[in-house]
Amino acid sequence: MSTEFNRYEKARIIGARALQLSYGAPVLVETGRTEPYLIAAEEYDAGVLPFTVRREGK
């Protein structure tokens, strides 16, 4: 399985995670940030998000 996402997939993953964080989901990385979007981006960069992307035909 490839962990390379295109920019649309990356935006969707970070956006979905930011929404989870804004509703009180636990943060998966140590950070001093408070904005859900920035925390989600840090989590994405750290590779700790348990999201998968299903592509049609693959």
Side-chain angles (χ1 to χ4, degrees):
M1 181 178 95
S2 174
T3 57
E4 292 294 318
F5 299 112
N6 64 41
R7 62 184 172 174
Y8 304 107
E9 293 165 341
K10 180 179 177 180
R12 178 68 175 98
I13 290 168
I14 291 173
R17 181 61 180 152
L19 183 63
Q20 291 177 347
L21 291 167
S22 70
Y23 280 107
V27 178
L28 302 175
V29 295
E30 288 291 323
T31 183
R33 300 189 185 274
T34 57
E35 301 86 356
Y37 178 79
L38 296 176
I39 296 169
E42 278 191 31
E43 290 178 341
Y44 179 88
D45 291 339
V48 297
L49 295 179
F51 285 92
T52 57
V53 173
R54 292 180 57 198
R55 296 181 181 116
E56 291 298 317
K58 300 211 183 216

